[in-house]
Every structure is written in C-alpha cells, then in structure tokens.
Amino acid sequence: MLLRSFRTVELLRRISTSSSVSGYRTSPSFLQRYNGVLPHRVTTESPFPSHIFRFCYSLSVNSQNENQHTTLSAPVSSRRVNNRKISRRRKAGKSPSISPAADAVDLALDSVVKIFTVSTSPSYFLPWQNKSQRESMGSGFVISGRKIITNAHVVADHSFVLVRKHGSSIKHRAEVQAVGHECDLAILVVDSEVFWEGMNSLELGDIPFLQEAVAVVGYPQGGDNISVTKGVVSRVEPTQYVHGATQLMAIQIDAAINPGNSGGPAIMGNKVAGVAFQNLSGAENIGYIIPTPVIKHFINGVEECGKYIGFCSMGVSCQPMENGELRSGFQMSSEMTGVLVSKINPLSDAHKILKKDDVILAFDGVPIANDGTVPFRNRERITFDHLVSMKKPDETALVKVLREGKEHEFSITLRPLQPLVPVHQFDQLPSYYIFAGFVFVPLTQPYLHEYGEDWYNTSPRTLCQRALKDLPKKAGQQLVIVSQVLMDDINTGYERLAELQVNKVNGVEVDNLRHLCQLIENCNTEKLRIDLDDESRVIVLNYQSAKIATSLILKRHRIASVISSDLLVEQNLETELASCSAV
C-alpha cells in the first residue's frame, strides 16, 4: 500500500498475480490486509477479489533512495504571469479559457498543506514493545471550521504531526482530532494563529460524472513545491479501501497519484470532488479518490458524536441470483429480482429478523437486481451495499424479502459492526497477558501479518481461517491465543503449545482476554488447567508455583508489566467500583 520503491512495486505485482490468495505488509509501520469484503458487510462479491492485491498507497516515506516522479508542477512565478494574462483579457472584455489545472492551482495555494508525520508501530509478536520510529509525508487541505482533511494512513500510529502551508518555511504542530481508518480519512487541527493567516477553506462538491476533468493537488515526492496532475473520471463504484479493508464508494481517475499525494484534494471547477488516497500497482495512471458523500458522512458523524463512529452494515452476506434455476428454486416470479441471504452476523439486528435463504428484493424501496446492484445516476449501477453504508448509525431501513414464496417487509436497524478478529488496530497498543511464561493475546489480523508478506500462506492455517471466516457469537468476544512460550522450568514440555487458541480455564469458556485474565487471577484451586485448540491440548500448572515463576520470567526477559495497560486500567476500574459498592 505504500509505494516505496520500484522493487516493492515489482513485489506487489508478483503477489497480485500469484495463484494463491495472499497479503503483504508494505512498510514497517502499516500492516495492511487484503481479505476481500468483511464477512459482516453486505456483499455480493467474491471473498478474495484478485484486483485488491494491486492497490497501493500514495504516501511518501522518507528514504535515501526516493523514486523520482514526473508531475505537473506550478511554480509561483508562472502562476503570477498567467494571472496577469488573465487579468488583461478580462479588462479587454474577453472570456479566457482557463484549464482545470490552473483553477486548481489558484484554489490550492492557500488551502493545501504538506504534512510531516513521525509514527511508531507496535510489535504484535512482542506486544510490550514498539518497532523503530519512522518518518513520512503526505498532503491535506483546509475545510471550513479551521480543520484539515487528510488520509488516515498519513497519520496512522502517529506520535508527532507537523503541517506546513505553501510558501512558508515554518512547520506548525498539528493534533489529530478524529480518524476513520475504515474510510481512510482524518481531521487535523492547528492551534497556531500564525498558521491560519491567509488560509482559505475549500468547499466540498458533488460526485463528478464520467469523463469530467479533475486536478489532483498535493506534495508528491520528487520535489518540495506544490504539484498538480490532471485527469478525467473513469469509473465510480464501490472499491476496496486497502487501509481499512472495507468496500466503500471510490472514484477512479486517470491522473497519476504518486507517493506524497495522499490526502490532497481532487478539484473539479472550484470545489473538491474527492481526496486522493491510493493507486493501482502495475497500471499506468490509475488512481483513486474518496468521493464527497463518504467525506461528508465521516465529517458529519464526527460533528454529531464527537468522534468517528464508523459506517453501517446490515450484517449479511449475499449470493447473486443470476441463475434461472436458482431463482426458480426459491419461488421467484419472472419479474422478481434480488439476492440470496447466505450468512447473518449474530450481533446484527438483521439476525433477529432475517433468515438464511431469504431473498432480499428491495432496500428502502429501491429494487435490487440479481447481481446485487441498484440504479445509480444516468445509466450507471452500483452495489446496494453503498445504500447501506451511507445510513446513519441506529437508522432504520425498509427491506422487502421473499420468504418461502411470500413477500414480507421488515424494518431493520443499521449500525456499525465489528468483526470477531479485528482487521486493523491502528493508534493503539496490542493487549497481552503473561502467566507462567505463556503470552496470551487476542487474535488480530495485524498479528498474522507479522508472519510476513505472504502471511496468508505462512501463518498458522487454523488461526488464519478463523480470522477470515468466523463470526462473533456475542458482544465483546475475542479469540484468545497463546502467541509464544517464554521458557522456564515451570513450562518445560509445553514449549510447542504456541499459536493455539485458548478455549477454557478450569472448565470455564473464555470470552475474551480480559475474561481469561480474571479467571487466572481469581483461581482458588491448587491446579490451574487450560484447554487449548478445541480441547485437543491441555496445560496443567501448580498455581502458586506458576505465580512465583511469572515474576522471575518477567525479570529475565526485561518485561515491565505482566499485563498490558488497557487491561490494567479496566482491572483498576473494576476494583474501584467493587470497593465503592462494598462501602
């Protein structure tokens, strides 16, 4: 996802064309996943679309061997000359023909900023420590309310952020007010009054039509001045957002989006048509921008709730019904169209209402075609998942369903849903708990990405399949695993019991890592029994001896705490609440 070097591009191209499904980690800081549509999202797509592996970020990473990219730069001196020519034409009563690039430069000079980020990613194999610090650059632009819009991957895992406006040598400290990794958007704020002198905000426009001209403005690597690339709109459809592994609407353009362009505006006329965020590796001049409906949904959600809350999902997976015999088998008449419900997330409202083998005919009165699409603008079509994602949390939708040959209409409440195994975990430290040398962690896809670029094939097969296919059965559920065993006399003979899921502690099923921690800490028996991997492996320890050994193991491995800070805070809160109740 980070377009780092030509060697990296070649590597990504080989991954994308391999016969097996695979993912790759594109930098020491960003562990990206390419697992197709999340199981709790409404989708009629294949779970592992082949083109997803070819998307790349357009974030510039400081390196001694930066790639040089040819872009259409716009020096200030040439702009002034053009402005004088335009002014003379206006005085003469003529109507000058101004290119989109010239308009974009005029708008962008006082609106587009360069962003400098220092970030540090955690280690998921050693969750008590971080990886090395790195620096990267991106772009952003000012909107109303003294806010700066940029990409989430520009500031992901940030520890320090600076911004610099055009024509200035001074960098100003910026704070990340909100970040949405699903939609790859973030809002920055700058307190310095000096920074805001002379700055103008850009206005968000509408979705451009096909073949309309846009100009992408930003600070790609290869130079320090502002840069403009021109292009036209080629396609508008739901696309895989590689940073958040989510399918949302995106606009494909034929303008080059190079490293450093991330977060810059795509300008059409005098308004913003979208935000540059990724390109297609191995293809020439195919870039993608985030459209304004997604941007507005993100901004409105932050303004209404004070933080990013996510995009809604029905929590169902659907199968297209393009086969005539399939439609006949589910008693669909010749004029009926729709999609077949194949899987339902148990945490969704749809789980209480819909059933497997229901046929969804319409969503909010919009008929759904047999391929899962709905009408969009002038003779265009788009998957109905877009209608779902644009709903506000806790908003209802009217769904028409065919069940056993009879039509029904149900009102379903929509809300953001979290997968059983998190797809990303930016801007937070991993959770862990250590007892008797066993390192317990919740299973996440970033953990699997630590196995390398070909993590889908090199990570433990059972864990990988559960991460991609299993659905949560109750709120707050996690898959807890033994990530490794820190050797000691207390765990001799158990050293091969790593990379296995924890099912029970003393006969009690484990809900999540916090629950496991409570079960172990509150053990009141002489022996502690832990059942692993569908109860096919067992660990038995002397509880008191294990507690003594734990402190020695931590000291030997120079680990500061037996438990991660997030679990420690939760434990302290519970202790305080219990003491208050006792009083």
Side-chain angles (χ1 to χ4, degrees):
M1 300 185 292
L2 296 174
L3 193 55
R4 298 288 301 277
S5 65
F6 291 116
R7 186 190 311 176
T8 303
V9 172
E10 290 301 321
L11 175 60
L12 304 190
R13 186 180 296 115
R14 288 199 299 271
I15 292 173
S16 68
T17 56
S18 64
S19 59
S20 61
V21 180
S22 62
Y24 54 87
R25 179 175 48 180
T26 56
S27 80
S29 294
F30 296 106
L31 306 173
Q32 306 303 337
R33 19 281 155 209
Y34 303 90
N35 303 318
V37 182
L38 300 179
H40 64 274
R41 304 285 300 181
V42 180
T43 173
T44 58
E45 301 283 341
S46 167
F48 297 102
S50 60
H51 67 278
I52 290 173
F53 303 99
R54 304 174 63 197
F55 285 126
C56 294
Y57 275 136
S58 51
L59 177 68
S60 175
V61 179
N62 287 357
S63 172
Q64 294 179 352
N65 299 313
E66 288 187 342
N67 299 333
Q68 299 298 316
H69 298 274
T70 303
T71 55
L72 299 178
S73 59
V76 178
S77 58
S78 63
R79 184 182 68 85
R80 289 173 179 168
V81 173
N82 291 336
N83 284 347
R84 287 197 292 269
K85 291 179 180 178
I86 293 170
S87 178
R88 287 196 294 268
R89 290 178 182 175
R90 286 174 177 167
K91 289 180 181 178
K94 298 179 181 180
S95 176
S97 177
I98 306 174
S99 68
D103 281 342
V105 171
D106 287 337
L107 287 170
L109 288 183
D110 297 327
S111 304
V112 180
V113 300
K114 190 170 186 176
I115 300 173
F116 304 84
T117 304
V118 178
S119 56
T120 307
S121 298
S123 169
Y124 285 86
F125 279 170
L126 303 173
W128 49 86
Q129 67 183 38
N130 285 328
K131 297 179 181 178
S132 59
Q133 178 177 285
R134 77 182 194 103
E135 298 177 1
S136 59
M137 293 177 292
S139 305
F141 62 95
V142 176
I143 61 172
S144 60
R146 287 193 167 189
K147 297 175 182 177
I148 298 173
I149 289 288
T150 187
N151 284 141
H153 71 259
V154 172
V155 296
D157 291 324
H158 68 278
S159 55
F160 200 76
V161 180
L162 297 171
V163 297
R164 189 187 70 194
K165 58 184 181 181
H166 177 72
S168 173
S169 61
I170 303 174
K171 298 175 184 176
H172 301 266
R173 180 70 186 275
E175 297 292 338
V176 179
Q177 183 186 64
V179 58
H181 293 290
E182 273 185 316
C183 56
D184 202 358
L185 290 170
I187 297 176
L188 309 183
V189 292
V190 179
D191 292 332
S192 173
E193 291 295 330
V194 176
F195 171 81
W196 293 107
E197 292 178 1
M199 295 297 287
N200 296 323
S201 61
L202 294 179
E203 184 180 351
L204 300 178
D206 299 319
I207 302 175
F209 286 93
L210 300 181
Q211 291 300 305
E212 283 199 279
V214 295
V216 178
V217 186
Y219 291 89
Q221 66 181 30
D224 199 43
N225 285 331
I226 202 167
S227 170
V228 180
T229 53
K230 297 185 296 182
V232 297
V233 175
S234 307
R235 184 180 294 150
V236 180
E237 64 181 3
T239 302
Q240 190 81 5
Y241 283 38
V242 293
H243 179 70
T246 307
Q247 270 207 338
L248 294 171
M249 179 185 285
I251 301 172
Q252 178 182 316
I253 60 176
D254 66 357
I257 296 179
N258 294 315
N261 271 125
S262 285
I267 297 176
M268 182 182 66
N270 61 350
K271 294 183 179 181
V272 174
V275 177
F277 76 116
Q278 65 188 31
N279 61 18
L280 194 61
S281 175
E284 294 184 3
N285 295 340
I286 295 183
Y288 293 85
I289 61 176
I290 303 171
T292 52
V294 177
I295 303 171
K296 291 176 181 177
H297 188 281
F298 166 72
I299 295 174
N300 292 339
V302 172
E303 291 177 349
E304 292 175 5
C305 302
K307 62 179 181 179
Y308 171 71
I309 51 178
F311 286 75
C312 288
S313 169
M314 274 183 64
V316 299
S317 296
C318 299
Q319 175 186 340
M321 302 197 70
E322 297 175 286
N323 183 274
E325 292 300 323
L326 179 63
R327 295 194 297 273
S328 175
F330 285 91
Q331 305 179 44
M332 295 177 66
S333 62
S334 57
E335 65 273 7
M336 285 183 178
T337 60
V339 289
L340 182 67
V341 175
S342 57
K343 188 182 292 186
I344 308 175
N345 190 318
L347 301 186
S348 66
D349 188 55
H351 188 263
K352 308 171 187 175
I353 300 172
L354 299 181
K355 296 181 179 180
K356 189 178 183 300
D357 292 343
D358 280 349
V359 179
I360 301 178
L361 304 176
F363 182 87
D364 269 347
V366 181
I368 300 173
N370 292 324
D371 61 354
T373 62
V374 294
F376 174 67
R377 301 195 310 187
N378 181 27
R379 298 172 63 185
E380 296 177 67
R381 299 193 70 83
I382 193 170
T383 58
F384 85 99
D385 186 38
H386 171 68
L387 302 180
V388 179
S389 62
M390 289 296 103
K391 288 281 191 177
K392 294 181 179 180
D394 296 323
E395 194 173 354
T396 59
L398 189 63
V399 179
K400 181 185 287 188
V401 171
L402 180 68
R403 179 180 296 171
E404 297 177 352
K406 297 181 181 180
E407 293 187 24
H408 305 270
E409 285 193 344
F410 301 112
S411 180
I412 297 177
T413 302
L414 306 176
R415 61 178 62 91
L417 297 173
Q418 300 302 320
L420 176 62
V421 177
V423 179
H424 54 74
Q425 278 197 321
F426 297 105
D427 306 323
Q428 59 180 305
L429 295 174
S431 300
Y432 72 90
Y433 173 65
I434 302 174
F435 184 78
F438 295 95
V439 181
F440 301 99
V441 300
L443 179 62
T444 63
Q445 285 200 30
Y447 171 85
L448 296 176
H449 297 159
E450 295 278 21
Y451 286 89
E453 296 170 348
D454 194 22
W455 63 269
Y456 180 80
N457 294 312
T458 57
S459 62
R461 175 56 50 193
T462 303
L463 297 183
C464 189
Q465 292 298 324
R466 288 173 179 169
L468 299 177
K469 294 182 178 180
D470 285 6
L471 294 175
K473 297 178 181 178
K474 49 188 171 183
Q477 184 182 1
Q478 293 176 324
L479 294 184
V480 181
I481 64 171
V482 178
S483 67
Q484 61 177 305
V485 181
L486 306 176
M487 286 306 300
D488 186 77
D489 291 337
I490 195 72
N491 54 44
T492 301
Y494 293 142
E495 59 271 13
R496 295 185 180 180
L497 297 184
E499 302 172 345
L500 297 176
Q501 181 183 349
V502 180
N503 291 317
K504 295 181 179 179
V505 173
N506 285 343
V508 180
E509 289 192 5
V510 174
D511 294 333
N512 49 48
L513 184 59
R514 182 173 63 87
H515 186 216
L516 177 138
C517 179
Q518 291 174 344
L519 291 174
I520 294 178
E521 292 295 325
N522 298 330
C523 176
N524 54 11
T525 59
E526 179 184 358
K527 301 293 185 180
L528 176 71
R529 172 174 171 149
I530 302 175
D531 292 282
L532 306 174
D533 199 26
D534 297 329
E535 303 182 35
S536 62
R537 297 289 187 273
V538 177
I539 296 172
V540 177
L541 299 167
N542 181 288
Y543 183 68
Q544 293 301 327
S545 299
K547 288 192 70 174
I548 296 172
T550 299
S551 59
L552 297 176
I553 293 171
L554 293 181
K555 184 177 180 180
R556 185 183 306 129
H557 290 271
R558 295 182 289 277
I559 302 173
S561 176
V562 70
I563 190 172
S564 57
S565 57
D566 58 326
L567 297 178
L568 188 60
V569 170
E570 291 178 3
Q571 274 193 343
N572 292 338
L573 287 175
E574 289 180 358
T575 303
E576 291 177 5
L577 290 174
S579 61
C580 290
S581 300
V583 173

